[in-house]
């Protein structure tokens, strides 16, 4: 019997049939929600090249050094709007749970996605109340920069 390897994104499917094909091939998923799941898996597994390839070029950082002290613990998809095969825009609200330096945190974000040339891309996101990040704390996007120098409004 084959040992099941659950996908980091929390989908009930095995990693080999869920996010792994996207992370290894660089091909992007057909929906914004699936892209959100694959991006979470990329954060959890340290695939910065996939994250950059799936980020809209107008908002993507030049380079991305993922914080190795972050242990991603789970993803909850709370809502989604648009982002299907026939749409050009989409939104996914999620909570991503992680541990850093022994403390548990939750990143609650509403992410925006656009479809360009048949590919879904992450544009940006708004942090929800309760997911505040101090200006001098590491940015939750994983860039290794201070929040005020990265994603802060």
């Amino acid at each position: 019997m084959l040992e099941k390897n659950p996908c980091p994104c929390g989908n009930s499917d095995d990693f080999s049939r869920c996010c792994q094909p996207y992370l290894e091939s660089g091909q992007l998923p057909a929906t914004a929600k699936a892209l959100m799941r694959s991006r979470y898996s990329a954060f959890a597994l340290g695939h910065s090249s996939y994250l950059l390839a799936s980020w809209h070029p107008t908002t993507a950082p030049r380079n991305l050094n993922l914080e190795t002290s972050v242990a991603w613990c789970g993803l909850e998809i709370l809502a989604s709007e648009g982002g299907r095969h026939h749409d050009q825009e989409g939104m996914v609200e999620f909570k991503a749970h992680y541990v850093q330096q022994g403390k548990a945190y939750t990143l609650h974000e509403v992410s925006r996605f656009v479809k360009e040339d048949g590919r879904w891309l992450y544009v940006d996101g708004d942090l929800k109340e309760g997911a505040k990040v101090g200006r001098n704390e590491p940015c939750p996007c994983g860039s290794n920069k201070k929040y005020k120098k990265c994603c802060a409004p």
Side-chain angles (χ1 to χ4, degrees), residues 31 36 47 50 55 59 68 71 78 112 129 144:
T31 67
M36 177 66 243
H47 286 264
Y50 179 81
W55 212 314
T59 57
T68 57
L78 304 175
R112 284 180 287 282
E129 193 64 38
N144 257 357

Side-chain angles (χ1 to χ4, degrees), residues 21-152:
Y22 301 120
L23 299 182
E24 289 183 356
S25 73
Q27 179 183 348
L28 298 179
T31 67
K33 191 173 178 180
L35 180 60
M36 177 66 243
R37 288 187 172 285
S38 68
R39 285 179 56 82
Y40 174 85
S41 291
F43 272 108
L45 299 172
H47 286 264
S48 59
S49 59
Y50 179 81
L51 290 165
L52 289 171
S54 62
W55 212 314
H56 195 275
T58 62
T59 57
R62 287 184 196 248
N63 51 41
L64 186 62
N65 298 314
L66 298 178
E67 180 59 55
T68 57
S69 68
V70 172
W72 295 96
C73 307
L75 175 68
E76 294 176 72
I77 302 289
L78 304 175
S80 63
E81 188 177 296
R84 293 177 294 278
H85 302 284
H86 60 280
D87 295 318
Q88 295 301 306
E89 295 180 352
M91 175 279 298
V92 178
E93 181 178 357
F94 69 92
K95 286 184 178 180
H97 306 283
Y98 65 99
V99 174
Q100 185 174 29
Q101 298 176 345
K103 291 185 180 181
Y105 298 94
T106 297
L107 173 66
H108 185 178
E109 183 178 297
V110 176
S111 297
R112 284 180 287 282
F113 298 86
V114 295
K115 191 179 203 180
E116 289 189 357
D117 300 322
R119 296 169 28 115
W120 281 104
L121 298 168
Y122 169 78
V123 177
D124 59 17
D126 293 323
L127 292 177
K128 297 293 278 185
E129 193 64 38
K132 293 181 181 175
V133 177
R135 294 186 56 74
N136 288 316
E137 292 180 32
C139 188
C141 80
S143 67
N144 257 357
K145 296 178 185 175
K146 288 185 178 184
Y147 181 61
K148 67 183 179 185
K149 297 283 187 181
C150 191
C151 295

